[in-house]
Amino acid sequence: MNKEKNCAECEFMKIYDYGNKIFYCDHEARKDDMGKLGVEAPANVIPEWCPLRVKVGK
């Protein structure tokens, strides 16, 4: 069974603490310039712009 990788499990996710924890994607091939994944916790949904996104079952 194939499973999409969660952002929390991804090696490219970085966390910075500027009063709030900011989660962002550090992959150089991302299509979103900011790469922001969330504040205080990464989003539960893999962003459409994620370069590592793999469609389940394809």
Side-chain angles (χ1 to χ4, degrees):
M1 180 176 176
N2 292 336
K3 177 183 168 255
E4 287 185 340
K5 183 179 259 191
N6 186 313
C7 289
E9 302 168 349
C10 186
E11 63 188 283
F12 295 105
M13 185 189 75
K14 303 293 180 197
I15 305 169
Y16 288 94
D17 193 348
Y18 297 113
N20 292 324
K21 289 183 181 175
I22 309 286
F23 293 80
Y24 86 98
C25 178
D26 194 32
H27 196 287
E28 62 187 41
R30 70 180 183 267
K31 295 175 185 170
D32 178 272
D33 288 336
M34 291 294 292
K36 188 173 179 182
L37 299 171
V39 177
E40 294 300 324
N44 292 331
V45 179
I46 299 169
E48 290 291 326
W49 49 261
C50 177
L52 302 178
R53 186 180 186 99
V54 177
K55 299 292 183 191
V56 175
K58 289 190 178 183

